[in-house]
Amino acid sequence: VAPNKERPFVVAAGNVRVRAVGTAFNVRQSGGRAVITVTKGKVDVYRVDPGADDTAGGEAHPIRIAAGGQVSWDGPGAQDPVVAAVDPAVALSWREGRLAYDNEPLGSVIADYNRYSRRQVVIDSEAVKGLRFSGTLLTGSTREWLRALPDEFPVQVRQRDDVDVIEPLPHKPS
């Protein structure tokens, strides 16, 4: 995108906005979470209130992120963004069929999973959605990854009608 101060390039990810400032960046929104990774240059990232005019308010306090930086919001209710230094190549690994995660909520990982799988997965439990996942999901091996999930987390995967459901393991009576 050619720089133009009169017409800035702005990407909307839910109620998060990313304004290019001579740059290259990746935006991922899934499960209510927005993650912006800068691979070159800088971007300004800010939130807008749902239903608010995008040109007012949020831009007054943007967070400027430079190459190698990442900012994320964990959902609509999260007030404070998390800013971190990252390897931009990891954020772009989706181009090679690898989705790499570092301490990501399982609910967001499953939202990404559903983009690459014919059979959709749902999580009925907020506690399970909040479990943190670090690792890699190969987009060509989604079913294998899903089958391995109970080896890593206290969950079970059950088939229900036309979806798979991830549930917490049932409590064993004492």
Side-chain angles (χ1 to χ4, degrees):
V1 176
N4 181 343
K5 289 183 181 183
E6 299 300 315
R7 295 186 57 198
F9 180 70
V10 178
V11 174
N15 65 339
V16 174
R17 300 295 181 265
V18 183
R19 183 179 52 232
V21 187
T23 189
F25 58 95
N26 187 67
V27 176
R28 180 172 54 88
Q29 181 187 12
S30 61
R33 178 177 165 88
V35 180
I36 297 89
T37 307
V38 180
T39 59
K40 178 181 174 188
K42 300 174 186 169
V43 297
D44 289 337
V45 182
Y46 56 95
R47 286 186 87 162
V48 296
D49 292 328
D53 177 5
D54 280 15
T55 61
E59 290 189 61
H61 304 289
I63 300 167
R64 181 154 289 183
I65 304 296
Q70 182 178 78
V71 62
S72 60
W73 271 279
D74 273 340
Q79 295 301 312
D80 296 325
V82 176
V83 178
V86 297
D87 178 356
V90 173
L92 297 177
S93 64
W94 60 269
R95 293 177 176 177
E96 288 91 40
R98 292 184 331 272
L99 304 177
Y101 301 97
D102 182 21
N103 201 33
E104 190 86 12
L106 189 58
S108 293
V109 176
I110 294 301
D112 288 344
Y113 173 100
N114 284 331
R115 293 180 184 166
Y116 296 93
S117 177
R118 288 188 183 115
R119 186 172 171 92
Q120 298 295 284
V121 174
V122 297
I123 302 175
D124 288 338
S125 162
E126 291 302 315
V128 172
K129 285 180 183 178
L131 293 172
R132 305 306 271 199
F133 175 78
S134 294
T136 302
L137 167 59
L138 301 177
T139 60
S141 302
T142 54
R143 299 300 297 167
E144 292 83 356
W145 179 85
L146 185 63
R147 281 194 294 271
L149 216 59
D151 295 336
E152 300 298 321
F153 294 104
V155 299
Q156 60 186 358
V157 179
R158 298 163 56 97
Q159 294 183 354
R160 183 186 337 150
D161 300 322
D162 59 341
V163 299
D164 290 319
V165 180
I166 300 174
E167 303 172 330
L169 287 176
H171 288 47
K172 296 179 182 178
S174 312

